[in-house]
Amino acid sequence: MQANTGLETLLDLNGYTIDQEGGYWIKVEAWRVPVTADIPHGIRYSLTLHEPYGKRILGYDNSHAIKPPKKFKFVGQRLPYDHKHRHVADKGVPYEFKDANQLLADFFKEVDRVIKEAMK
């Protein structure tokens, strides 16, 4: 039941912009999609934190597969779609999606850390 509550919360936040301290803000996009091998949980999502001038500085999403570093060969392997961008220039690192509750908890914990660090 808790996972369904988290899922409904995530879906209810779709389209919201949430103001944070210091002029930072969060944008939430989340909606149901057909279950596929790339999106086995059936949810497309993008949770992003933006600095006061609008640049994304943190993001959790599953909009595309992330590419491994060029020095590794992953021929024939399925690349993960769930990932996070830890800073402005980050191309993404895998994120293990467990459920919507965990996604929201992980994202907001990271938001708090990033804002606290930025405001030092």
Side-chain angles (χ1 to χ4, degrees), residues 29 39 41 43-48 56 58-66 80-85 90-95 97 103 107:
E29 296 176 320
I39 306 174
H41 38 70
I43 300 297
R44 179 72 89 181
Y45 63 88
S46 174
L47 308 173
T48 55
R56 181 191 75 188
L58 174 69
Y60 282 54
D61 69 81
N62 64 350
S63 62
H64 57 84
I66 56 170
Y81 268 57
D82 293 296
H83 62 278
K84 61 182 178 177
H85 301 271
D90 188 0
K91 299 293 184 194
V93 296
Y95 172 75
F97 183 95
L103 172 67
F107 176 71

Short mmCIF file of all heavy atoms in Angstrom, two decimals, residues 29 39 41 43-48 56 58-66 80-85 90-95 97 103 107:
data_model
loop_
_atom_site.label_atom_id
_atom_site.label_comp_id
_atom_site.label_asym_id
_atom_site.label_seq_id
_atom_site.Cartn_x
_atom_site.Cartn_y
_atom_site.Cartn_z
N GLU A 29 7.92 16.26 -13.14
CA GLU A 29 7.12 15.71 -14.24
C GLU A 29 7.06 14.21 -14.01
O GLU A 29 8.08 13.57 -13.78
CB GLU A 29 7.76 16.00 -15.59
CG GLU A 29 7.83 17.48 -15.91
CD GLU A 29 8.55 17.77 -17.22
OE1 GLU A 29 9.57 17.10 -17.50
OE2 GLU A 29 8.08 18.64 -17.94
N ILE A 39 11.45 0.69 -19.24
CA ILE A 39 10.71 1.34 -18.15
C ILE A 39 9.77 0.30 -17.53
O ILE A 39 8.56 0.32 -17.72
CB ILE A 39 9.92 2.57 -18.66
CG1 ILE A 39 10.88 3.51 -19.40
CG2 ILE A 39 9.24 3.29 -17.51
CD1 ILE A 39 10.21 4.67 -20.07
N HIS A 41 8.68 -0.15 -14.58
CA HIS A 41 7.75 0.29 -13.54
C HIS A 41 6.58 1.09 -14.13
O HIS A 41 5.68 1.46 -13.41
CB HIS A 41 8.47 1.10 -12.47
CG HIS A 41 9.54 2.00 -13.01
ND1 HIS A 41 9.27 3.11 -13.75
CD2 HIS A 41 10.89 1.89 -12.95
CE1 HIS A 41 10.41 3.68 -14.11
NE2 HIS A 41 11.41 2.96 -13.63
N ILE A 43 6.37 4.15 -15.29
CA ILE A 43 6.30 5.57 -14.94
C ILE A 43 7.44 6.29 -15.63
O ILE A 43 8.59 5.90 -15.54
CB ILE A 43 6.45 5.78 -13.41
CG1 ILE A 43 5.33 5.05 -12.66
CG2 ILE A 43 6.46 7.27 -13.06
CD1 ILE A 43 3.95 5.54 -12.95
N ARG A 44 7.12 7.35 -16.34
CA ARG A 44 8.13 8.24 -16.91
C ARG A 44 8.23 9.42 -15.95
O ARG A 44 7.20 9.96 -15.53
CB ARG A 44 7.69 8.71 -18.29
CG ARG A 44 8.64 9.65 -18.96
CD ARG A 44 9.87 8.97 -19.43
NE ARG A 44 9.67 8.48 -20.77
CZ ARG A 44 10.59 7.82 -21.45
NH1 ARG A 44 11.76 7.57 -20.89
NH2 ARG A 44 10.35 7.40 -22.64
N TYR A 45 9.46 9.79 -15.56
CA TYR A 45 9.59 10.85 -14.58
C TYR A 45 10.82 11.71 -14.84
O TYR A 45 11.78 11.28 -15.49
CB TYR A 45 9.67 10.28 -13.15
CG TYR A 45 10.87 9.41 -12.91
CD1 TYR A 45 12.08 9.96 -12.48
CD2 TYR A 45 10.81 8.04 -13.11
CE1 TYR A 45 13.20 9.15 -12.26
CE2 TYR A 45 11.92 7.24 -12.89
CZ TYR A 45 13.10 7.80 -12.48
OH TYR A 45 14.20 7.01 -12.27
N SER A 46 10.76 12.94 -14.36
CA SER A 46 11.87 13.88 -14.37
C SER A 46 11.70 14.78 -13.16
O SER A 46 10.72 15.54 -13.07
CB SER A 46 11.87 14.71 -15.65
OG SER A 46 12.86 15.71 -15.59
N LEU A 47 12.63 14.68 -12.22
CA LEU A 47 12.64 15.51 -11.02
C LEU A 47 13.91 16.34 -11.10
O LEU A 47 15.01 15.79 -11.12
CB LEU A 47 12.65 14.65 -9.76
CG LEU A 47 11.58 13.55 -9.65
CD1 LEU A 47 11.82 12.69 -8.44
CD2 LEU A 47 10.21 14.16 -9.62
N THR A 48 13.78 17.65 -11.15
CA THR A 48 14.96 18.49 -11.34
C THR A 48 15.00 19.63 -10.33
O THR A 48 13.97 20.19 -9.96
CB THR A 48 15.02 19.07 -12.76
OG1 THR A 48 13.81 19.79 -13.04
CG2 THR A 48 15.20 17.98 -13.80
N ARG A 56 19.59 23.82 -14.55
CA ARG A 56 19.42 22.58 -13.79
C ARG A 56 20.74 22.20 -13.13
O ARG A 56 21.77 22.15 -13.78
CB ARG A 56 18.98 21.44 -14.72
CG ARG A 56 18.76 20.14 -13.95
CD ARG A 56 18.58 18.96 -14.84
NE ARG A 56 19.90 18.61 -15.39
CZ ARG A 56 20.10 17.72 -16.34
NH1 ARG A 56 19.09 17.12 -16.90
NH2 ARG A 56 21.31 17.46 -16.77
N LEU A 58 20.63 19.53 -10.59
CA LEU A 58 20.43 18.16 -10.12
C LEU A 58 19.22 17.59 -10.83
O LEU A 58 18.24 18.31 -11.04
CB LEU A 58 20.20 18.16 -8.60
CG LEU A 58 19.84 16.83 -7.94
CD1 LEU A 58 21.03 15.87 -7.96
CD2 LEU A 58 19.36 17.04 -6.51
N GLY A 59 19.27 16.34 -11.19
CA GLY A 59 18.11 15.74 -11.82
C GLY A 59 18.07 14.23 -11.68
O GLY A 59 19.11 13.57 -11.69
N TYR A 60 16.86 13.70 -11.50
CA TYR A 60 16.62 12.26 -11.51
C TYR A 60 15.60 12.05 -12.62
O TYR A 60 14.54 12.68 -12.63
CB TYR A 60 15.99 11.80 -10.20
CG TYR A 60 16.94 11.65 -9.03
CD1 TYR A 60 17.77 12.69 -8.61
CD2 TYR A 60 16.99 10.46 -8.31
CE1 TYR A 60 18.62 12.54 -7.53
CE2 TYR A 60 17.83 10.31 -7.22
CZ TYR A 60 18.64 11.35 -6.84
OH TYR A 60 19.48 11.19 -5.77
N ASP A 61 15.90 11.18 -13.57
CA ASP A 61 14.94 10.94 -14.65
C ASP A 61 15.16 9.60 -15.31
O ASP A 61 16.13 8.90 -15.02
CB ASP A 61 14.98 12.08 -15.68
CG ASP A 61 16.25 12.11 -16.49
OD1 ASP A 61 16.34 11.34 -17.46
OD2 ASP A 61 17.14 12.92 -16.17
N ASN A 62 14.27 9.26 -16.21
CA ASN A 62 14.41 8.05 -17.02
C ASN A 62 14.02 8.35 -18.46
O ASN A 62 13.38 7.56 -19.13
CB ASN A 62 13.60 6.90 -16.43
CG ASN A 62 12.10 7.14 -16.44
OD1 ASN A 62 11.63 8.23 -16.72
ND2 ASN A 62 11.35 6.11 -16.13
N SER A 63 14.47 9.49 -18.95
CA SER A 63 14.10 9.92 -20.30
C SER A 63 14.97 9.31 -21.38
O SER A 63 14.60 9.35 -22.55
CB SER A 63 14.16 11.45 -20.39
OG SER A 63 15.48 11.88 -20.16
N HIS A 64 16.12 8.76 -21.02
CA HIS A 64 17.04 8.19 -22.02
C HIS A 64 18.00 7.24 -21.32
O HIS A 64 18.20 7.31 -20.11
CB HIS A 64 17.82 9.31 -22.72
CG HIS A 64 18.59 10.17 -21.77
ND1 HIS A 64 19.85 9.85 -21.30
CD2 HIS A 64 18.26 11.33 -21.14
CE1 HIS A 64 20.27 10.79 -20.47
NE2 HIS A 64 19.32 11.70 -20.35
N ALA A 65 18.59 6.38 -22.10
CA ALA A 65 19.63 5.50 -21.56
C ALA A 65 20.89 6.33 -21.37
O ALA A 65 21.14 7.28 -22.09
CB ALA A 65 19.91 4.36 -22.53
N ILE A 66 21.66 5.97 -20.36
CA ILE A 66 22.92 6.67 -20.16
C ILE A 66 24.03 5.86 -20.80
O ILE A 66 24.02 4.63 -20.79
CB ILE A 66 23.22 6.93 -18.67
CG1 ILE A 66 23.21 5.64 -17.87
CG2 ILE A 66 22.24 7.92 -18.10
CD1 ILE A 66 23.73 5.78 -16.47
N PRO A 80 20.83 1.23 -18.75
CA PRO A 80 19.77 1.66 -17.84
C PRO A 80 19.16 3.01 -18.23
O PRO A 80 19.86 3.89 -18.70
CB PRO A 80 20.49 1.77 -16.49
CG PRO A 80 21.92 1.97 -16.84
CD PRO A 80 22.14 1.26 -18.14
N TYR A 81 17.86 3.13 -18.05
CA TYR A 81 17.17 4.40 -18.29
C TYR A 81 17.09 5.22 -17.01
O TYR A 81 17.20 6.43 -17.04
CB TYR A 81 15.76 4.15 -18.84
CG TYR A 81 15.71 4.14 -20.35
CD1 TYR A 81 16.50 3.27 -21.09
CD2 TYR A 81 14.88 5.00 -21.04
CE1 TYR A 81 16.45 3.25 -22.47
CE2 TYR A 81 14.82 4.99 -22.43
CZ TYR A 81 15.61 4.11 -23.14
OH TYR A 81 15.57 4.11 -24.50
N ASP A 82 16.85 4.57 -15.86
CA ASP A 82 16.76 5.30 -14.60
C ASP A 82 18.16 5.79 -14.23
O ASP A 82 19.10 5.00 -14.15
CB ASP A 82 16.23 4.38 -13.49
CG ASP A 82 14.80 3.97 -13.71
OD1 ASP A 82 13.94 4.87 -13.71
OD2 ASP A 82 14.55 2.76 -13.89
N HIS A 83 18.28 7.09 -14.03
CA HIS A 83 19.58 7.66 -13.72
C HIS A 83 19.42 9.01 -13.03
O HIS A 83 18.33 9.53 -12.92
CB HIS A 83 20.44 7.82 -14.98
CG HIS A 83 19.85 8.74 -15.99
ND1 HIS A 83 18.88 8.35 -16.88
CD2 HIS A 83 20.08 10.05 -16.24
CE1 HIS A 83 18.54 9.37 -17.64
NE2 HIS A 83 19.26 10.42 -17.27
N LYS A 84 20.56 9.53 -12.55
CA LYS A 84 20.55 10.85 -11.94
C LYS A 84 21.72 11.65 -12.48
O LYS A 84 22.75 11.11 -12.87
CB LYS A 84 20.60 10.77 -10.41
CG LYS A 84 21.83 10.10 -9.85
CD LYS A 84 21.74 10.03 -8.34
CE LYS A 84 22.95 9.33 -7.75
NZ LYS A 84 22.90 9.32 -6.30
N HIS A 85 21.52 12.95 -12.53
CA HIS A 85 22.55 13.91 -12.93
C HIS A 85 22.96 14.63 -11.64
O HIS A 85 22.14 15.33 -11.05
CB HIS A 85 22.02 14.91 -13.95
CG HIS A 85 21.51 14.26 -15.20
ND1 HIS A 85 22.32 14.02 -16.28
CD2 HIS A 85 20.28 13.81 -15.54
CE1 HIS A 85 21.61 13.44 -17.24
NE2 HIS A 85 20.36 13.30 -16.80
N ASP A 90 27.17 16.72 -15.47
CA ASP A 90 27.06 15.27 -15.35
C ASP A 90 26.14 14.71 -16.42
O ASP A 90 25.00 15.14 -16.56
CB ASP A 90 26.52 14.92 -13.96
CG ASP A 90 26.54 13.45 -13.64
OD1 ASP A 90 26.96 12.64 -14.48
OD2 ASP A 90 26.12 13.10 -12.52
N LYS A 91 26.63 13.74 -17.19
CA LYS A 91 25.82 13.10 -18.24
C LYS A 91 24.89 12.03 -17.67
O LYS A 91 24.06 11.49 -18.39
CB LYS A 91 26.73 12.47 -19.30
CG LYS A 91 27.62 13.46 -19.99
CD LYS A 91 26.82 14.41 -20.84
CE LYS A 91 27.76 15.32 -21.61
NZ LYS A 91 27.12 16.45 -22.19
N GLY A 92 25.05 11.72 -16.40
CA GLY A 92 24.17 10.77 -15.74
C GLY A 92 24.89 9.54 -15.24
O GLY A 92 25.84 9.07 -15.86
N VAL A 93 24.45 9.05 -14.10
CA VAL A 93 24.91 7.80 -13.52
C VAL A 93 23.68 6.97 -13.20
O VAL A 93 22.61 7.52 -12.93
CB VAL A 93 25.78 8.01 -12.25
CG1 VAL A 93 27.06 8.76 -12.58
CG2 VAL A 93 25.01 8.72 -11.16
N PRO A 94 23.79 5.65 -13.23
CA PRO A 94 22.61 4.81 -12.97
C PRO A 94 21.97 5.11 -11.62
O PRO A 94 22.66 5.41 -10.64
CB PRO A 94 23.17 3.39 -13.01
CG PRO A 94 24.41 3.48 -13.83
CD PRO A 94 24.97 4.85 -13.54
N TYR A 95 20.66 5.02 -11.59
CA TYR A 95 19.89 5.13 -10.36
C TYR A 95 19.00 3.89 -10.29
O TYR A 95 18.29 3.59 -11.25
CB TYR A 95 19.02 6.40 -10.35
CG TYR A 95 18.06 6.43 -9.17
CD1 TYR A 95 18.52 6.73 -7.90
CD2 TYR A 95 16.73 6.14 -9.33
CE1 TYR A 95 17.67 6.72 -6.81
CE2 TYR A 95 15.85 6.14 -8.26
CZ TYR A 95 16.33 6.43 -7.00
OH TYR A 95 15.48 6.42 -5.92
N PHE A 97 15.85 2.37 -9.43
CA PHE A 97 14.47 2.69 -9.06
C PHE A 97 13.88 1.49 -8.34
O PHE A 97 13.78 0.41 -8.90
CB PHE A 97 13.65 2.99 -10.33
CG PHE A 97 12.23 3.39 -10.05
CD1 PHE A 97 11.89 4.73 -9.98
CD2 PHE A 97 11.24 2.44 -9.86
CE1 PHE A 97 10.58 5.12 -9.72
CE2 PHE A 97 9.93 2.81 -9.60
CZ PHE A 97 9.60 4.16 -9.53
N LEU A 103 12.20 6.95 -4.62
CA LEU A 103 12.62 7.98 -5.57
C LEU A 103 12.45 9.37 -4.97
O LEU A 103 13.37 10.19 -4.99
CB LEU A 103 11.81 7.87 -6.87
CG LEU A 103 12.02 9.00 -7.89
CD1 LEU A 103 13.43 8.96 -8.46
CD2 LEU A 103 10.97 8.90 -8.99
N PHE A 107 15.53 11.84 -3.93
CA PHE A 107 15.63 13.12 -4.61
C PHE A 107 15.63 14.28 -3.61
O PHE A 107 16.50 15.14 -3.65
CB PHE A 107 14.50 13.29 -5.63
CG PHE A 107 14.51 14.63 -6.30
CD1 PHE A 107 15.49 14.98 -7.21
CD2 PHE A 107 13.54 15.58 -6.00
CE1 PHE A 107 15.52 16.23 -7.82
CE2 PHE A 107 13.54 16.83 -6.61
CZ PHE A 107 14.54 17.15 -7.51
#
